[in-house]
Amino acid sequence: MRYRVKDTSMKDEEVENLIHKEEKRQEEAVNLIASENYVSNDVRSALGSVLVNKYSEGYPAERYYAGNNVIDEVECLAQHRALSLFSLADEEWNVNVQPLSGTPANLAIYSALVPLGGKIMGMKLSHGGHLSHGHSISLTGKLWKQVPYGVSRESELLDYEEIGKQAEKEKPKIIVAGFTAYPRAVDFKAFRTIADSVGAYLVADISHIAGLIATGYHPSPFLYADVVMSTTHKSLRGPRSALIFSRLGSGPSGSELASKIDKAVFPGLQGGPHENQIAAVAVALREAAEPEFKKYIGEVLKNAKALADELGSLGWRLISGGTDTHLLVVDVWMKGEGIGGKEASERLEKAGIIVNKNTIPFDERKPADPSGIRLGTLAETTRGKKEEDMKEIARRIDTILRS
């Protein structure tokens, strides 16, 4: 029997109905989840292509299965587009496009560069860091020891002088410069100075701000970092996947580093890569190189500022006083004068506005019901929202939370 690879109809009505339900939910909701976006039809087509059928364990020209000539071209194209998007020379940087997502990518980096039990310096989860930056409940915090840094209590901004003192005391093997809920620009040069002072690798996790960096709206880490990791499904508007860039050259941050990371991804952590996913990443990277994408990111930032300013004018406290990126964190508890983050998220969801509850720096409430919520403008900007729309959304949020 011939296998019909182009038959797109679903015979599983139960799953198809669930897909339609989720499609309807997405269409009707206002999506302010800072780590979500909407991909193009081309990205979805690549994800659902016949590339899903091929097993391609290994790297281009070094596969363990036959029949990978076309697959090699797909992966090499994704690598070329990743380097090109960030204006990187292939003689200076290597990029691995096989990681399945951000946490596996960070796990690969640490396993390549830090002995088990060694120290990873990463931002505190409650201050805006990510689980995969060494938090105790993550495998990254069980295999390695996190040296957590945070923000100033007064300004709620990163205090680089204090981070430097902490690094000098703890001597971490890696310093991770990155965040998932920190709304301000990151000074990668300052982190480089700190890393050099203690002989640490500098790893930049740009999962949230990769699109901002690619379009020049945020300072680039590539001048300073040894390794740069990014997911592709946030501001790059691609599928769920990740990229690991590693610097080539001589010395401790040279070609040996790239080789170690490649070996940590495969065969260290993964088997055959998901080539349909990699093809979808290649599509998204091409889209991100278009002039329209730069206009999009510019509008994302305008929308974030409009949303933040309007919420602030309505009396809500913004962590650090505002935002330099696509995301903002709002203190909705306000020392007991407001409501908890869990209730705020649930109220907003019932009204069709999707956010996530989020801790705030020095939060006195538990993570399951913290003091804040996190908002982002990536998804709604993709859907065409402008600054006036964001102000209206802010007013709706205010009405719902104060009702």
Side-chain angles (χ1 to χ4, degrees):
M1 183 178 73
R2 183 181 178 189
Y3 182 62
R4 298 171 61 194
V5 296
K6 293 186 178 181
D7 187 353
T8 58
S9 63
M10 285 195 69
K11 297 176 178 60
D12 189 328
E13 292 184 3
E14 190 173 8
V15 171
E16 187 173 41
N17 287 338
L18 289 172
I19 292 172
H20 289 323
K21 283 175 68 176
E22 173 59 14
E23 185 175 31
K24 185 173 185 291
R25 185 201 67 79
Q26 290 185 20
E27 287 176 351
E28 295 176 350
V30 174
N31 186 0
L32 298 180
I33 299 292
S35 52
E36 291 183 3
N37 213 328
Y38 297 108
V39 302
S40 68
N41 288 335
D42 284 357
V43 168
R44 289 171 63 177
S45 293
L47 278 172
S49 70
V50 296
L51 296 176
V52 74
N53 299 330
K54 190 70 188 96
Y55 202 81
S56 50
E57 196 175 74
Y59 289 106
E62 297 178 351
R63 305 289 185 181
Y64 288 82
Y65 291 74
N68 275 297
N69 291 341
V70 175
I71 293 300
D72 283 0
E73 292 186 51
V74 170
E75 196 162 322
C76 288
L77 180 62
Q79 290 175 310
H80 171 74
R81 288 181 176 179
L83 293 171
S84 177
L85 181 63
F86 293 99
S87 302
L88 304 176
D90 59 8
E91 65 268 17
E92 296 178 1
W93 287 89
N94 178 69
V95 58
N96 191 308
V97 297
Q98 291 191 5
L100 303 180
S101 198
T103 294
N106 279 335
L107 190 59
I109 294 166
Y110 306 156
S111 65
L113 305 180
V114 187
L116 291 178
K119 293 179 180 179
I120 297 169
M121 193 169 187
M123 194 174 191
K124 294 178 183 177
L125 183 67
S126 59
H127 287 209
H130 192 263
L131 284 169
S132 66
H133 296 167
H135 193 275
S136 60
I137 65 172
S138 164
L139 187 61
T140 61
K142 298 181 187 301
L143 296 177
W144 299 280
K145 179 183 177 182
Q146 187 193 45
V147 177
Y149 65 83
V151 299
S152 162
R153 186 180 288 272
E154 291 74 28
S155 67
E156 296 176 323
L157 298 172
L158 289 171
D159 184 336
Y160 296 98
E161 183 177 350
E162 186 60 35
I163 295 170
K165 291 178 182 177
Q166 194 176 4
E168 184 63 36
K169 178 183 177 182
E170 297 286 350
K171 299 291 193 299
K173 185 71 173 176
I174 276 180
I175 297 177
V176 181
F179 60 84
T180 191
Y182 178 69
R184 295 301 189 172
V186 177
D187 187 343
F188 294 112
K189 184 178 181 180
F191 271 113
R192 176 76 265 170
T193 300
I194 296 168
D196 285 343
S197 71
V198 296
Y201 289 107
L202 178 59
V203 176
D205 184 340
I206 61 169
S207 294
H208 270 276
I209 55 174
L212 283 62
I213 291 167
T215 51
Y217 285 105
H218 188 289
S220 173
F222 290 100
L223 294 173
Y224 309 106
D226 300 296
V227 180
V228 178
M229 192 286 292
S230 180
T231 57
T232 55
H233 54 271
K234 300 180 179 77
S235 58
L236 286 178
R237 208 157 54 177
R240 297 192 174 278
S241 190
L243 308 169
I244 303 175
F245 300 86
S246 46
R247 190 182 293 276
L248 298 172
S250 60
S253 59
S255 57
E256 184 183 357
L257 181 153
S259 176
K260 285 181 177 179
I261 289 175
D262 281 352
K263 289 176 181 177
V265 175
F266 172 82
L269 292 174
Q270 299 178 188
H274 299 177
E275 292 296 341
N276 58 318
Q277 186 181 39
I278 292 172
V281 168
V283 173
L285 292 170
R286 180 182 181 278
E287 293 172 349
E290 296 294 326
E292 281 301 313
F293 187 81
K294 183 168 185 176
K295 294 179 183 177
Y296 159 71
I297 293 295
E299 191 61 46
V300 164
L301 298 177
K302 290 178 184 177
N303 283 346
K305 189 175 188 310
L307 183 61
D309 288 349
E310 190 69 13
L311 286 170
S313 70
L314 292 168
W316 297 99
R317 192 179 80 83
L318 302 173
I319 300 307
S320 80
T323 179
D324 299 323
T325 66
H326 64 290
L327 67 84
L328 49 144
V329 180
V330 185
D331 178 0
V332 292
W333 178 242
M334 296 195 295
K335 296 182 179 180
E337 295 182 8
I339 62 174
K342 182 175 184 290
E343 183 182 354
S345 174
E346 290 172 350
R347 281 196 197 182
L348 290 169
E349 183 172 11
K350 287 179 181 177
I353 299 176
I354 311 301
V355 306
N356 66 272
K357 60 187 177 184
N358 212 93
T359 55
I360 65 172
F362 310 100
D363 205 333
E364 296 178 356
R365 296 172 64 86
K366 296 180 179 180
D369 187 10
S371 297
I373 56 175
R374 184 185 66 160
L375 315 177
T377 56
L378 293 171
E380 287 304 312
T381 306
T382 293
R383 301 172 84 175
K385 296 289 196 305
K386 301 292 186 182
E387 292 160 89
E388 285 304 315
D389 300 308
M390 289 298 158
K391 292 178 182 179
E392 176 57 30
I393 289 171
R395 291 190 285 268
R396 284 180 59 192
I397 290 172
D398 177 69
T399 299
I400 292 162
L401 297 187
R402 295 187 190 278
S403 63

